[in-house]
Amino acid sequence: MKQTLLLQICCATCGGYISSELIKEFSLTLYFCNPNLFPAKEWEKRLADVKALAAELQVALIIDKQDYENWKQTKAGLENEPEKGKRCVICYNERLAKTAQLARQKDFAHFGTTLTTSPYKDGETILSIGRKLQTELGLLGQAGVKFLDRDFKKDNGWQKAIAWSKEHNYYRQKFCGCEFSLIKN
Ligand code: SF4
């Protein structure tokens, strides 16, 4: 029997191809946890595609609440940070921590994220956050929640994701997600 995986997904473009591969290995549940998305319309657009992806792959989807104002407040003073800078590290950490906590609550065997697919994100930092969370979960005495420690951009993962997204006609945005990344594009 396949082990369970809760996979935080930022959008169908980064996450579509890799999800289509991971269902061969895991019993997959997608987790749309992206309070960083701005404006609300962007959140809705990406969610609509992730819903379509879940239906296409016939996997479960859990949707986190839209919470941009709270997300923004915790980034005060970091508005001018470059992408991959301090603001992004907090943003990665928040999404991964929520995923890890939910995986623990719901007894998933693994948690992971599609965030390492994009070359515009700091994959090594994302992976180190996942490892740290796995250790913390272990320290809390919880059994068996493991981080899926994979850099999905390896082996041309980004190029494959873009090609898959085009082929399946998913929406491809031109910015990372928050208003600060929107301004720079
Ligand atoms: S640029 Fe992307 S990763 Fe960085 S804070 Fe904004 S939404 Fe988060």
Side-chain angles (χ1 to χ4, degrees):
M1 202 165 94
K2 290 176 186 169
Q3 291 201 322
T4 53
L5 166 64
L6 182 66
L7 185 72
Q8 186 271 340
I9 181 164
C10 53
C11 62
T13 289
C14 285
Y17 168 71
I18 197 61
S19 297
S20 74
E21 290 294 304
L22 288 171
I23 54 173
K24 298 171 189 167
E25 212 180 324
F26 294 99
S27 171
L28 180 67
T29 295
L30 299 176
Y31 182 34
F32 189 78
C33 173
N34 300 296
N36 52 311
L37 296 181
F38 178 90
K41 218 172 158 188
E42 183 69 20
W43 188 87
E44 286 159 13
K45 258 174 146 172
R46 294 197 201 184
L47 175 58
D49 263 17
V50 169
K51 281 182 178 173
L53 175 69
E56 182 179 345
L57 299 180
Q58 297 188 302
V59 299
L61 168 64
I62 299 173
I63 303 166
D64 187 43
K65 65 180 186 296
Q66 191 186 12
D67 193 15
Y68 188 72
E69 282 314 309
N70 185 47
W71 179 92
K72 190 177 170 182
Q73 275 175 21
T74 62
K75 311 298 172 303
L78 300 173
E79 295 84 353
N80 296 319
E81 281 285 313
E83 286 194 34
K84 303 187 183 180
K86 287 180 192 163
R87 187 187 66 244
C88 297
V89 175
I90 298 171
C91 184
Y92 307 148
N93 192 75
E94 286 170 346
R95 287 184 276 173
L96 263 174
K98 285 186 98 168
T99 309
Q101 282 155 8
L102 187 63
R104 188 182 64 193
Q105 275 168 23
K106 293 190 174 285
D107 290 328
F108 280 86
H110 303 265
F111 72 98
T113 177
T114 61
L115 290 172
T116 58
T117 308
S118 167
Y120 303 106
K121 296 193 177 67
D122 182 347
E124 195 41 54
T125 296
I126 293 164
L127 294 178
S128 69
I129 290 168
R131 292 175 200 134
K132 177 182 68 90
L133 287 164
Q134 177 185 257
T135 306
E136 284 173 6
L137 292 176
L139 287 175
L140 289 170
Q142 304 294 332
V145 187
K146 294 193 184 74
F147 176 57
L148 189 68
D149 194 338
R150 294 186 195 173
D151 188 341
F152 294 126
K153 75 175 75 54
K154 279 191 176 163
D155 301 324
N156 295 320
W158 174 241
Q159 290 80 357
K160 288 175 187 168
I162 294 293
W164 197 93
S165 170
K166 280 184 185 164
E167 191 185 322
H168 292 249
N169 211 22
Y170 285 112
Y171 159 60
R172 289 178 303 284
Q173 67 280 348
K174 292 191 171 66
F175 71 112
C176 184
C178 66
E179 68 188 89
F180 313 115
S181 60
L182 180 62
I183 289 164
K184 291 187 179 82
N185 282 282

